[in-house]
Amino acid sequence: MQRRSPARFLAPLALLIAVIAVFVVARPQDTTPPGPSTSTATPTSTSTAKKPDTPARSSPKPSTYTVKPGDTLSGISKQTGVPVATILDLNAVDAKTLRVGQKLKLRG
């Protein structure tokens, strides 16, 4: 009877060990301790905290707006801060009668 080579058994074993090692190294590390957290310590950070957005000084609203290509009443309202209802009340327009170059009153 022929003696079997030990490489016949060791090669698949080495492959299995290599695959396991790759999974262990590539796996993301969980840094939280096991169990419920009872720590009351505040987290420290070296990054600077972003200040909340402070509203810029409001510039006076323009009294008229010139319609540009692609403008809509709602878009003009958002851009100028004037409600759509006010634009409609001050001008004899609706969404379908806007024309490029038309001047709209924004304040009475």
Side-chain angles (χ1 to χ4, degrees):
M1 183 172 223
Q2 281 188 342
R3 192 159 188 227
R4 294 187 178 177
S5 168
R8 182 174 182 188
F9 298 107
L10 293 178
L13 183 62
L15 179 63
L16 181 63
I17 291 172
V19 169
I20 291 171
V22 167
F23 279 114
V24 168
V25 171
R27 181 179 53 122
Q29 298 296 319
D30 185 18
T31 58
T32 58
S37 175
T38 58
S39 173
T40 58
T42 57
T44 59
S45 175
T46 58
S47 65
T48 59
K50 184 178 178 184
K51 292 181 180 179
D53 292 335
T54 55
R57 292 184 182 222
S58 60
S59 59
K61 293 180 183 177
S63 58
T64 61
Y65 179 84
T66 304
V67 178
K68 299 174 190 135
D71 277 345
T72 61
L73 284 176
S74 61
I76 295 168
S77 173
K78 286 180 185 176
Q79 188 174 0
T80 60
V82 178
V84 173
T86 303
I87 296 172
L88 291 174
D89 289 343
L90 294 174
N91 302 281
V93 297
D94 61 17
K96 295 181 182 181
T97 61
L98 284 181
R99 294 180 320 274
V100 174
Q102 179 179 8
K103 295 218 184 258
L104 298 176
K105 293 179 189 175
L106 300 176
R107 291 190 280 165

